[in-house]
Amino acid sequence: MKKKRVLNFCNGVVSFNVERMKYTSSEYDHYVADKYCPKVFKSEGNYIERITQKRLPNKVNIFLLELVGLWCMIHHLYSKSFKRSDIVHLSFIEPFYLFILPFLKRKKLIVSVFGSDFYRFRFFNIIRYPLYKRANIITFSSKQTLKDFSDYYNKIPKEKYRLVRFGTDNFSEILKLSKDVSVEEAKRNMGFPLDKILVVVGINGIPIAQHLLILESIAKLPRTLKNKIHIVVPASSLVGNSDKYLKKVRQAIHQTGVSGDIFQEWLTSKQMAYFRKSSEILINLPKTDQFSASMTETLVCGNIVVTGSWLPYNELYESGVKMEVVEDVSSVNEVLNYIVENKDFYFLNCAKNIPLIPPFVSWGFVKEDWNNLYLEV
């Protein structure tokens, strides 16, 4: 029997995850068409990292990369790999993907919906509708997003929907290092203060993470507690970070009276593992989200996570995962005060999260779902 050929369209960040599909079945061949690389490759090649290492100014990055991305996507549509593919999988959705529709004759289409696709840019949901209507299967990473999507697009048949999560590339490295390395050793490796609790604000450097409101709340902490913590705002993503916004964040950190800074270094998998182990407290309060791999990577280190009641993490709670939940960003200071004063209790409690996280983000657990999906369509 002829093998199916799967061609996965993705952007640079998602391609890290797509690369892990080398775990997939021998019953089909899997290829990747990266938004930022004109070459279609199979099972290996990390092209986005080469671009990232150049670290052009953010505004130049976004403008040039989007032009490159558009050109690469058009190039992929005329490639032999596209013509020979049986299944086209869109791992992220861009408005210009509508141009793909005429090329999809006799091809099966899988579309994966991310939180940023659906929640943050509602205007584009109208434009994306023809893609969703044409899709044979639409995948989600959380039950809540599937429900919200179904309510919004009530004319799309629910039979198309599947709950299938992406694993994370760093997970096995983080899990192994977390068992072998202490928090102090991880902080020493990263150059963070050893005498203070590391508080990570947000998982990226974009405004939707609500850094400014969180830092405004932290500024209300008593002086004695401020001296016990060190703030880090991670902003090493390739695109999406605004120099103007990050300048405001840096000023806000200074105004809290707490030591800290923005962390913009690009990290290898091992360095990321040290960073997650160092992140004793993560404050993750974005306006919207579907599922946060960065948050689960922090949880699997036994660290503490503060998150919002409005975020769709019900499946984690139902599995027994413990997180500190706030109703409003303004209450961060009260919760953080209590956590720091009772940190031994919290760390002991959060250690119970470690065995509960792998089923959500380890490729060893989720690979079978993707195998079955590709063979089903």
Side-chain angles (χ1 to χ4, degrees):
M1 180 184 293
K2 178 188 172 184
K3 282 187 178 182
K4 289 183 177 179
R5 293 173 66 96
V6 180
L7 181 61
N8 194 301
F9 279 77
C10 59
N11 65 2
V13 177
V14 176
S15 70
F16 291 147
N17 288 333
V18 172
E19 282 306 302
R20 303 304 291 176
M21 289 186 179
K22 58 190 174 187
Y23 288 119
T24 49
S25 172
S26 59
E27 296 181 53
Y28 57 86
D29 290 325
H30 192 272
Y31 294 82
V32 177
D34 191 291
K35 176 181 176 181
Y36 301 115
C37 179
K39 178 183 177 183
V40 174
F41 55 94
K42 183 179 181 181
S43 78
E44 64 183 30
N46 202 337
Y47 299 96
I48 196 68
E49 186 168 342
R50 299 177 190 173
I51 300 174
T52 305
Q53 288 170 348
K54 297 180 181 180
R55 296 305 299 172
L56 296 173
N58 284 311
K59 291 180 182 178
V60 178
N61 264 349
I62 295 171
F63 179 72
L64 290 182
L65 285 175
E66 290 309 309
L67 284 180
V68 170
L70 178 58
W71 181 83
C72 287
M73 290 295 100
I74 293 173
H75 178 78
H76 292 322
L77 291 177
Y78 289 94
S79 68
K80 290 182 179 179
S81 294
F82 183 88
K83 293 175 182 177
R84 294 172 181 171
S85 63
D86 302 297
I87 302 169
V88 173
H89 180 184
L90 303 183
S91 291
F92 77 119
I93 312 299
E94 299 244 9
F96 64 73
Y97 269 17
L98 290 176
F99 295 120
I100 290 180
L101 290 175
F103 293 82
L104 291 174
K105 295 177 181 178
R106 296 185 297 277
K107 296 185 187 299
K108 301 293 186 179
L109 177 64
I110 299 173
V111 175
S112 291
V113 176
F114 285 78
S116 57
D117 294 332
F118 178 62
Y119 291 116
R120 299 182 194 175
F121 306 110
R122 286 298 180 108
F123 170 76
F124 290 129
N125 285 343
I126 300 172
I127 300 174
R128 295 182 181 116
Y129 177 75
L131 278 171
Y132 297 139
K133 184 179 179 181
R134 167 64 178 79
N136 298 91
I137 290 178
I138 304 172
T139 76
F140 306 85
S141 293
S142 81
K143 292 179 182 177
Q144 186 61 51
T145 303
L146 189 157
K147 180 182 181 304
D148 293 343
F149 185 96
S150 178
D151 292 342
Y152 186 88
Y153 293 109
N154 51 38
K155 293 183 179 180
I156 295 179
K158 293 180 176 59
E159 292 75 21
K160 293 185 177 185
Y161 300 156
R162 302 288 188 281
L163 182 67
V164 191
R165 296 185 180 89
F166 284 94
T168 73
D169 275 2
N170 299 321
F171 187 79
S172 58
E173 182 90 48
I174 291 169
L175 187 60
K176 181 178 184 303
L177 184 138
S178 181
K179 293 176 180 178
D180 299 338
V181 173
S182 66
V183 172
E184 290 71 23
E185 187 178 344
K187 288 162 75 172
R188 186 179 295 109
N189 182 278
M190 296 300 299
F192 297 138
L194 300 180
D195 59 341
K196 296 187 176 184
I197 297 172
L198 193 70
V199 177
V200 178
V201 177
I203 62 171
N204 52 41
I206 60 178
I208 199 167
Q210 306 197 93
H211 306 97
L212 299 179
L213 289 176
I214 294 169
L215 293 169
E216 181 182 323
S217 182
I218 290 176
K220 298 175 184 177
L221 290 169
R223 169 54 56 187
T224 53
L225 194 135
K226 288 181 180 181
N227 292 334
K228 295 180 181 180
I229 64 175
H230 181 80
I231 294 172
V232 169
V233 174
S236 58
S237 299
L238 179 62
V239 296
N241 297 332
S242 160
D243 289 336
K244 185 177 180 180
Y245 176 71
L246 292 182
K247 184 178 179 180
K248 290 181 181 179
V249 172
R250 186 170 279 111
Q251 290 172 342
I253 294 173
H254 178 72
Q255 290 168 359
T256 63
V258 179
S259 66
D261 203 354
I262 297 173
F263 190 86
Q264 291 184 273
E265 294 181 34
W266 183 262
L267 301 177
T268 64
S269 292
K270 187 160 190 178
Q271 289 171 327
M272 180 59 76
Y274 279 114
F275 182 81
R276 297 294 186 222
K277 183 68 176 181
S278 301
S279 306
E280 294 165 279
I281 301 174
L282 168 64
I283 302 176
N284 181 44
L285 299 171
K287 293 178 181 178
T288 62
D289 196 14
Q290 177 178 199
F291 192 81
S292 173
S294 300
M295 185 180 75
T296 55
E297 291 172 356
T298 302
L299 287 167
V300 85
C301 292
N303 289 328
I304 302 162
V305 170
V306 178
T307 191
S309 60
W310 60 90
L311 297 167
Y313 302 147
N314 291 341
E315 290 160 87
L316 289 171
Y317 302 136
E318 290 168 3
S319 72
V321 173
K322 306 295 183 185
M323 294 186 282
E324 192 65 25
V325 180
V326 298
E327 298 296 326
D328 187 81
V329 178
S330 62
S331 61
V332 164
N333 62 319
E334 299 171 11
V335 172
L336 190 56
N337 194 347
Y338 190 79
I339 291 174
V340 173
E341 295 299 336
N342 299 275
K343 61 183 177 66
D344 292 337
F345 165 79
Y346 272 94
F347 282 122
L348 186 64
N349 205 32
C350 289
K352 300 174 184 177
N353 289 334
I354 296 173
L356 303 176
I357 298 300
F360 290 93
V361 288
S362 168
W363 277 112
F365 281 88
V366 304
K367 63 178 182 180
E368 199 60 36
D369 293 333
W370 286 107
N371 288 339
N372 293 337
L373 186 72
Y374 287 140
L375 295 174
E376 167 196 351
V377 66

